[in-house]
Amino acid sequence: MRVNRILLSSALVVVALVIQVSVLARLHLPGAVPDLLLLTVLGLAMVYGHVGGALVGFGAGLLADLAPPADHAAGRYALVLCVTGYFAGLIRPENGRLKSATGPMAVVVAAAVGSTLLYAGVGALVGDTAARHVGLTSLLISAALYDLLLAPFVVPGIMWLARRADNDPLTETGPTAKAGDISSGWLSSGTGLRIGGQRSGLGALKAKARTRSARGAGRIKGVKRL
């Protein structure tokens, strides 16, 4: 990843984690907690692609695993966000821009449900049965609902910042850039033909002018001789 990507991702992840731990986690909402960190990873992954999304997700999850008041094994949430960021980055278009909000909203719901299931599954493997006591169904529904309501205020802004700070040349080789290359090539070829035509016309005019001047000079000489 480039330096600007690392700096922007680190800043956004830290801010999202602080807000989630200090504000969202203290709202005591029924069911799950709105996952601002997950939405941040999704926004960055849909601009940086699957590789960048996986790296950002792993770093964000590891930071959440180590930050207090985390009470689970380190690396558990890092695995969840790494997998989530990877799959979310697969929907990234070539030019890094999405034409509709339907796709990102579907990704948010799928990521909320998938990350909750994966987190509960990894917890079951290590002996954490907290999801069973709370109720997995209520966790899935509340996580999808909270993240879906929060996504329109977070994901578009994250994607805008990522595109704004990103200078990756891959984002300039999409269909828009190709269309620009084709149009510029067409214009240059058209201009060349026009210039060539103009040059040939000017050459003909000059030749005619020279011929006329020569004829005029011959007539003047003839008159003088007479």
Side-chain angles (χ1 to χ4, degrees), residues 68-151:
D71 56 353
H72 55 269
R76 181 176 171 183
Y77 202 47
L79 174 63
V80 172
L81 289 186
C82 179
V83 175
T84 304
Y86 177 84
F87 284 104
L90 292 177
I91 72 166
R92 172 186 178 271
E94 293 182 358
N95 60 355
R97 296 178 180 273
L98 298 171
K99 298 181 180 180
S100 174
T102 304
M105 292 298 102
V107 171
V108 169
V109 175
V113 174
S115 61
T116 303
L117 288 175
L118 184 58
Y119 187 83
V122 175
L125 293 176
V126 297
D128 186 2
T129 60
R132 297 180 181 177
H133 300 290
V134 176
L136 185 58
T137 304
S138 62
L139 284 178
L140 293 176
I141 296 175
S142 59
L145 180 60
Y146 295 154
D147 292 347
L148 188 60
L149 293 176
L150 190 60

Side-chain angles (χ1 to χ4, degrees), residues 16-58:
L17 182 60
V18 170
I19 295 176
Q20 182 169 331
V21 172
S22 60
V23 178
L24 298 178
R26 297 184 180 183
L27 295 178
H28 301 292
L29 297 174
V33 176
D35 201 338
L36 183 60
L37 195 61
L38 173 65
L39 297 178
T40 302
V41 172
L42 291 179
L44 293 173
M46 285 188 284
V47 176
Y48 295 159
H50 59 283
V51 176
L55 294 176
V56 173
F58 179 80

Side-chain angles (χ1 to χ4, degrees), residues 159-182:
M159 295 180 67
W160 182 83
L161 287 174
R163 288 196 299 263
R164 185 79 174 181
D166 191 17
N167 295 320
D168 192 349
L170 291 178
T171 58
E172 300 177 359
T173 57
T176 304
K178 291 180 180 179
D181 294 338
I182 294 173

